[in-house]
């Protein structure tokens, strides 16, 4: 008994010296167009992979809607601003995230999570990893998921006919980040999502402050991307205004030069990370993910 009484204070003292075990930062992931939160070959696979590599981590794969079908349909047809508001509510009411979280968005989920970072700073997003996100928008879908799908054909026709009409903007997700370099004024005036989060109509200092609070903003570009037009949008670049052939990197855009989002300051502070991976859109190996992405989550 005496030995046991002696051991207990020693163990307590040892615990004080070593401190509590470091908590694992939670991860929030958001899927892309035509996908769902828990698809076993996409988001479900990513969630299991992260949980396997980082024991004890809490991974929240975002679901917009009451079931997987609704989640997939909402990736096409639910107003993005409403989706972002819904996600902000989910994050704010999840007690496991109150200390902060890392975020990883796939394809359009990348720019949607950036909107969360800019609009909803509580709980705090620590690092944002955009995997193939289109931060300057798109001007075409060369290979929409489900190439033979009537949904993809309808989206193309609708965007060609009236991407910036009120009805299309409010009810077609892809129109809300459609960026026509030949109609820049229409884009700035009528884009209800992307033009707002990219500060095209004025400076929202809160957006800038919140984004700059990130520790790292990691952007992954697929070097053989046949879906995103132009692929450089994945690194925040885009077409030079007034034409749709020559592209310019982020550092040559007015967004960067005027530092409307704080990206220039973040770049100089080493907070922006530009990664390239060989392969088509969202095609990467587990080895690449382990060696390149996991370090930002640990």
């Amino acid at each position: 008994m005496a030995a046991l009484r002696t051991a207990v204070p020693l163990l307590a003292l040892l615990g004080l010296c070593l401190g509590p075990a470091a908590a694992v930062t939670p991860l929030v992931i958001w899927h892309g167009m035509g996908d769902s939160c828990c698809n076993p070959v996409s988001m479900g696979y990513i969630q299991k992979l992260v949980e396997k590599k980082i024991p004890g981590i809490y991974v929240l794969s975002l679901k917009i809607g009451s079931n997987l079908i609704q989640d997939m349909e909402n990736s096409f047809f639910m107003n993005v601003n409403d989706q972002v508001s819904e996600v902000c509510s989910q994050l704010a009411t999840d007690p496991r995230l109150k200390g902060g979280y890392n975020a990883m968005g796939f394809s359009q989920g990348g720019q949607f999570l950036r909107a969360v970072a800019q609009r909803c700073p509580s709980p705090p997003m620590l690092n944002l990893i955009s995997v193939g996100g289109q931060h300057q928008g798109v001007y075409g879908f060369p290979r929409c998921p489900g190439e033979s799908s009537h949904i993809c054909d309808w989206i193309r026709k609708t965007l060609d006919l009236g991407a910036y009409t009120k009805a299309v903007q409010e009810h077609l997700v892809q129109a809300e980040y459609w960026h026509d370099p030949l109609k820049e004024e229409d884009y700035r005036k009528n884009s209800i999502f992307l033009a707002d989060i990219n500060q095209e109509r004025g400076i929202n200092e809160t957006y800038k402050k919140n984004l700059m609070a990130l520790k790292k903003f990691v952007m992954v570009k697929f070097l053989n991307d046949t879906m995103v037009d132009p692929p450089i949008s994945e690194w925040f670049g885009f077409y030079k205004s007034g034409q749709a052939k020559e592209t310019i990197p982020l550092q040559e855009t007015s967004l960067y030069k005027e530092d409307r989002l704080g990206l220039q300051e973040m770049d100089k502070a080493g907070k922006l990370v530009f990664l390239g991976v060989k392969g088509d859109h969202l095609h990467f190996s587990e080895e690449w993910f382990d060696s390149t992405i996991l370090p930002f989550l640990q």
Side-chain angles (χ1 to χ4, degrees):
M1 288 295 293
L4 181 59
R5 285 196 297 269
T6 304
V8 171
L10 286 174
L11 288 172
L13 181 61
L14 184 60
L16 287 172
C17 294
L18 295 177
V24 180
T25 302
L27 174 65
V28 173
I29 58 179
W30 198 340
H31 63 79
M33 173 173 63
D35 201 357
S36 68
C37 67
C38 312
N39 186 331
V41 298
S42 57
M43 293 301 97
Y45 166 77
I46 292 295
Q47 180 169 352
K48 287 184 177 180
L49 181 61
V50 172
E51 290 171 343
K52 175 185 174 183
K53 301 292 183 179
I54 308 178
I57 192 172
Y58 169 55
V59 180
L60 172 62
S61 187
L62 293 167
K63 179 174 68 174
I64 313 298
S66 59
N67 56 58
L68 301 190
I69 298 298
Q70 282 188 6
D71 189 23
M72 183 275 291
E73 290 176 343
N74 286 336
S75 75
F76 289 110
F77 302 121
M78 182 178 175
N79 186 301
V80 180
N81 293 311
D82 292 341
Q83 292 193 52
V84 170
S85 294
E86 162 65 22
V87 166
C88 289
S89 296
Q90 287 188 33
L91 303 185
T93 55
D94 190 332
R96 290 165 289 190
L97 303 177
K98 64 181 181 180
Y101 64 96
N102 292 321
M104 182 160 51
F106 294 81
S107 198
Q108 68 184 24
Q111 60 263 34
F112 296 174
L113 278 171
R114 175 164 62 86
V116 171
Q118 292 174 208
R119 294 175 178 175
C120 308
S122 181
M125 185 185 296
L126 305 178
N127 295 295
L128 171 59
I129 302 170
S130 168
V131 184
Q134 304 100 47
H135 293 279
Q136 284 277 22
V138 299
Y139 186 50
F141 289 100
R143 190 179 55 79
C144 175
E147 188 62 45
S148 61
S149 167
H150 67 281
I151 293 179
C152 291
D153 291 336
W154 181 82
I155 286 173
R156 288 193 186 94
K157 291 175 183 176
T158 303
L159 292 173
D160 285 341
L161 290 172
Y164 299 123
T165 62
K166 184 177 180 182
V168 173
Q169 279 289 308
E170 291 182 352
H171 300 289
L172 180 58
V173 166
Q174 289 69 40
E176 296 174 52
Y177 57 89
W178 185 259
H179 186 171
D180 188 338
L182 308 179
K183 300 177 182 176
E184 290 281 5
E185 190 58 30
D186 285 347
Y187 159 70
R188 279 191 289 270
K189 286 171 58 178
N190 300 307
S191 170
I192 66 172
F193 173 70
L194 191 69
D196 176 65
I197 65 167
N198 281 2
Q199 309 271 48
E200 299 282 6
R201 289 189 290 267
I203 306 300
N204 182 326
E205 291 295 342
T206 300
Y207 282 4
K208 184 174 180 178
K209 175 186 175 184
N210 290 342
L211 189 65
M212 291 177 66
L214 290 172
K215 294 179 179 179
K216 294 288 184 183
F217 178 12
V218 181
M219 289 170 269
V220 177
K221 175 176 179 267
F222 291 89
L223 303 179
N224 310 102
D225 204 312
T226 63
M227 178 179 162
V228 174
D229 181 13
I232 200 170
S233 183
E234 297 171 13
W235 279 348
F236 234 124
F238 203 63
Y239 289 115
K240 185 179 288 188
S241 184
Q243 49 84 60
K245 292 184 178 180
E246 183 183 355
T247 61
I248 55 175
L250 167 64
Q251 289 78 3
E252 294 179 24
T253 65
S254 60
L255 176 69
Y256 184 91
K257 291 178 178 179
E258 297 168 8
D259 211 15
R260 300 197 302 266
L261 268 178
L263 293 171
Q264 182 184 137
E265 192 169 336
M266 292 176 73
D267 196 14
K268 291 177 179 177
K271 289 188 172 187
L272 300 187
V273 180
F274 300 90
L275 301 176
V277 57
K278 292 181 180 179
D280 204 348
H281 193 64
L282 300 186
H283 289 196
F284 55 85
S285 68
E286 182 175 332
E287 291 75 21
W288 174 85
F289 186 85
D290 287 354
S291 63
T292 310
I293 300 301
L294 281 180
F296 293 103
L297 305 178
Q298 294 172 314

